[in-house]
Amino acid sequence: ALVGDVRGALGRTGLPPEALTLELTESVLLDAGRSTMGALRALRGDGVGIAIDDFGTGYASLRYLAELPVTSVKIDMSFTRGLPSDPVCTSIVRAVSTLAADLEISCVVEGVETADQLAALPAGVHAQGFLLGRPTLPAGVLHLLTAMEPSVHTSSVPTTPRP
């Protein structure tokens, strides 16, 4: 059902699979059965991205990086809160980002709320948090996208939902 639902939504909207990333928390992955893992592999085969959200808060993180068709890890904000003053948080963020780079997957650090936290991030990671933008309703996102330079637009991605 998951694969069919995602494929159907992609077909209805015209969104290319590569423009979609499904985020799954570690706890969901820990409880996932064989059929869910098969569905994730099928979607990854279609080009859909798979991200592990809240990375570092569960018990099987490294195992999942080795077994799943993961394209991204998202470091939990509990580690970001300690940046840049807590050497343990700093070391964990640096180690996970290095591991992600070595595995050729992207790394997102969640919960970036201060300029000091942003400055403490290792090169090559992506930041997500209130410092960079608040949650926005779809109309607000459309406004932001239309205000961007034309070079960042993808002509195959519709700007309004199709019926």
Side-chain angles (χ1 to χ4, degrees):
L2 174 64
V3 174
D5 289 346
V6 171
R7 287 176 177 163
L10 290 171
R12 284 189 306 278
T13 63
L15 184 72
E18 297 78 16
L20 176 65
T21 298
L22 300 179
E23 294 183 13
L24 303 150
T25 62
E26 284 188 55
S27 58
V28 167
L29 289 171
L30 286 170
D31 294 334
R34 182 171 273 157
S35 65
T36 301
M37 294 300 177
L40 294 175
R41 283 186 180 86
L43 290 170
R44 183 65 201 117
D46 290 349
V48 173
I50 309 294
I52 299 177
D53 195 16
D54 299 334
F55 188 79
T57 61
Y59 300 102
S61 302
L62 296 177
R63 188 81 237 136
Y64 281 114
L65 287 179
E67 292 178 359
L68 285 177
V70 174
T71 57
S72 181
V73 294
K74 295 183 77 177
I75 299 174
D76 186 68
M77 68 174 33
S78 62
F79 299 108
T80 312
R81 286 188 191 116
L83 296 177
S85 59
D86 184 333
V88 172
C89 289
T90 301
S91 293
I92 289 171
V93 170
R94 186 175 51 247
V96 172
S97 68
T98 299
L99 178 62
D102 288 348
L103 295 174
E104 298 180 354
I105 60 177
S106 68
C107 180
V108 178
V109 178
E110 297 179 319
V112 176
E113 297 179 353
T114 69
D116 287 342
Q117 290 171 333
L118 183 62
L121 298 181
V125 303
H126 303 281
Q128 177 183 346
F130 288 161
L131 177 67
L132 305 169
R134 297 280 179 171
T136 305
L137 294 173
V141 172
L142 181 58
H143 174 73
L144 288 171
L145 289 174
T146 56
M148 290 180 165
E149 294 179 30
S151 64
V152 298
H153 290 232
T154 303
S155 61
S156 63
V157 179
T159 56
T160 57
R162 294 181 182 166

